[in-house]
Amino acid sequence: MESFLLAPTIYLLTMVIAVPLSARLGLGSVLGYLVSGIVIGPVLGLAGSEGEISDLQHFAEFGVVMMLFLIGLELEPQALWQMRKRMIGLAGMQILGTVAALTLVCMALNQSWQVAVTLGMIMSLSSTAIVLQTLSEKRLMQTAGGRSAFAVLLTQDIAVIPMIALMPLLATRVVPGADGETQVGADFMHSLPGWMAALVTLGAVAAVVLIGQYLIRPLFRYVHAARLDELDTALALLIVVGIAWLMEFVGLSPALGTFLAGVMLAGSEFRHNLEGQIAPFKGLLLGLFFITVGVGMNFQILYERPVTVLGITVVLIAIKAAILHGIARVTGLRGRDRTLFTLSLAQAGEFGFVLLSYAVSLAILPRALGQAFLLVIALSMLATPLLFILSDYISRRIAEERAADIPDVIEEQQPII
């Protein structure tokens, strides 16, 4: 019992100390979780064996499924329609442009096209948690640059769904499970003819849509009539866990199914209740996931090749900033808004950890390469506060230059009404 309780105690203790401190310093909760993992892992060696960490990370990855369910709940059709121009224009150009540029760079460095495309997708994403928190703290969310950055971040969160769905197609070989055994669902699907497997897959997606549209509402009314909070929580978890299992059974991404269910429930009267029940579990599991990422970081790579790792980080930020600056010019953002949009989104993001772990588990990326890019993502996120400081400095310089301009002399005089 002592050993069973010791590991959760260590994880929770470092979490409650490091995360509030990181938030007070303006670094965001994600970096706090990463630092917690780094302290109990590479620094103090208190995280446990590699097998225990791997099992814990698989469990914590369910927080990503819950996050995508909550993202689906937020996507009301009217709000999306109002932001359509920014989401399709700004965000579409940013994602496609960054993926294309980074893919070409990786292929120029003798990586296969599967590895290059995967790294391009992973590094095209920015840090939603850090950027939104910083924009809110600096009261920049209502500026043109802040709204444009928000639209890009929202689109990136949605783009994670097709990225997760696409990655198995990039895998060059099938990877067995951690225990070397195939899952029951995989055995069942492989035993079917191709046309039957396709029908079962489409039927599962249709079932998710129909369940979200017609079944969950009356079920929620039935459970809610009991007026027991724990039953509301149990039903919310049942929705997410059940749909995730169904998707996994037919060989699809669990995140895709829960995202679809969330979209179907976005207009439901129980939407806020679902958010309230799921959000604490999502926050804890995601925090645990980021801690395990910090625990698994191999700083020996940084010690052995500091110039390479830091150079890749700087090049990544420079490429993303150049693409963002070009998009800002094309779409008419000016001055402070252009600078804010360019520098606030130039880092990699927390979803990169999720996709990177998934790509390594599918054997698309070698484990050593994955470890190196874990460091790159973390270092670029750590640089985010510096990028905001640079943005503030450039914005002040632009304001001073505009104030120093001599106003035009107006010769024409007219009576004042």
Side-chain angles (χ1 to χ4, degrees):
M1 178 63 72
E2 284 184 19
S3 60
F4 174 75
L5 295 177
L6 179 60
T9 302
I10 293 173
Y11 278 85
L12 292 172
L13 179 62
T14 53
M15 186 185 297
V16 299
I17 293 175
V19 176
L21 180 61
S22 176
R24 288 186 180 183
L25 295 175
L27 301 177
S29 60
V30 175
L31 291 181
Y33 289 123
L34 286 174
V35 170
S36 299
I38 292 169
V39 169
I40 64 176
V43 176
L44 300 179
L46 301 175
S49 66
E50 187 175 345
E52 292 175 354
I53 296 169
S54 178
D55 292 340
L56 191 60
Q57 190 166 21
H58 286 308
F59 173 73
E61 283 173 357
F62 201 74
V64 179
V65 174
M66 292 184 170
M67 181 180 355
L68 292 172
F69 177 72
L70 293 179
I71 289 173
L73 283 177
E74 295 291 337
L75 297 181
E76 294 185 13
Q78 290 182 349
L80 288 177
W81 183 253
Q82 292 174 356
M83 298 175 63
R84 65 190 184 280
K85 292 183 179 178
R86 285 195 178 98
M87 292 181 68
I88 296 174
L90 281 171
M93 287 191 290
Q94 185 272 326
I95 294 172
L96 294 176
T98 306
V99 171
L102 294 177
T103 298
L104 291 175
V105 170
C106 292
M107 290 183 70
L109 297 175
N110 296 323
Q111 298 292 341
S112 67
W113 70 268
Q114 292 96 337
V115 171
V117 171
T118 302
L119 289 176
M121 291 192 298
I122 292 170
M123 297 300 165
S124 68
L125 305 174
S126 304
S127 176
T128 302
I130 297 176
V131 174
L132 288 186
Q133 180 178 344
T134 307
L135 290 174
S136 299
E137 290 173 354
K138 294 180 176 291
R139 299 180 180 179
L140 296 171
M141 189 65 76
Q142 298 306 317
T143 63
R147 290 195 300 270
S148 299
F150 174 74
V152 170
L153 291 169
L154 177 60
T155 309
Q156 287 180 353
D157 290 346
I158 299 172
V160 171
I161 305 294
M163 289 180 184
I164 290 175
L166 180 62
M167 278 196 179
L169 302 178
L170 298 174
T172 54
R173 60 187 177 89
V174 179
V175 183
D179 53 1
E181 299 176 1
T182 4
Q183 297 177 351
V184 176
D187 286 339
F188 170 72
M189 293 299 290
H190 286 310
S191 66
L192 298 176
W195 63 271
M196 182 67 75
L199 284 179
V200 170
T201 302
L202 291 174
V205 174
V208 169
V209 174
L210 293 174
I211 288 170
Q213 192 70 27
Y214 298 108
L215 181 62
I216 291 179
R217 286 178 174 86
L219 186 59
F220 228 111
R221 292 190 188 99
Y222 169 75
V223 172
H224 195 64
R227 299 185 181 278
L228 295 173
D229 292 340
E230 62 269 24
L231 288 183
D232 288 345
T233 304
L235 178 57
L237 291 174
L238 173 63
I239 293 168
V240 177
V241 174
I243 291 174
W245 173 83
L246 177 61
M247 290 292 101
E248 197 170 55
F249 185 82
V250 299
L252 294 177
S253 166
L256 174 62
T258 52
F259 176 77
L260 288 175
V263 172
M264 291 298 102
L265 292 168
S268 166
E269 65 269 30
F270 299 108
R271 166 189 158 190
H272 297 293
N273 196 335
L274 279 168
E275 287 179 344
Q277 301 292 348
I278 294 294
F281 294 97
K282 182 267 296 183
L284 283 174
L285 288 175
L286 267 184
L288 184 59
F289 174 78
F290 293 130
I291 288 177
T292 58
V293 169
V295 168
M297 283 186 177
N298 187 358
F299 282 93
Q300 189 65 30
I301 298 174
L302 182 60
Y303 298 146
E304 293 174 355
R305 292 177 287 175
V307 176
T308 302
V309 174
L310 294 175
I312 292 173
T313 306
V314 172
V315 169
L316 170 66
I317 293 174
I319 290 175
K320 294 189 71 172
I323 293 171
L324 289 163
H325 183 76
I327 293 171
R329 291 182 67 91
V330 169
T331 54
L333 288 175
R334 297 182 178 181
R336 180 183 183 182
D337 293 318
R338 182 190 298 169
T339 304
L340 177 65
F341 177 77
T342 298
L343 294 178
S344 66
L345 300 174
Q347 77 291 112
E350 55 272 5
F351 265 124
F353 294 127
V354 178
L355 294 178
L356 198 60
S357 299
Y358 189 43
V360 171
S361 69
L362 292 173
I364 302 172
L365 300 180
R367 182 167 295 277
L369 189 63
Q371 291 286 340
F373 274 92
L374 275 178
L375 287 173
V376 171
I377 294 174
L379 291 173
S380 70
M381 291 172 67
L382 287 169
T384 303
L386 299 178
L387 294 175
F388 271 97
I389 292 172
L390 179 60
S391 174
D392 291 340
Y393 173 76
I394 295 174
S395 298
R396 285 197 300 270
R397 290 293 301 269
I398 291 173
E400 290 172 0
E401 290 175 2
R402 287 184 175 177
D405 290 342
I406 301 174
D408 296 333
V409 178
I410 302 175
E411 301 290 346
E412 186 176 359
Q413 301 292 326
Q414 296 293 340
I416 298 175
I417 299 175

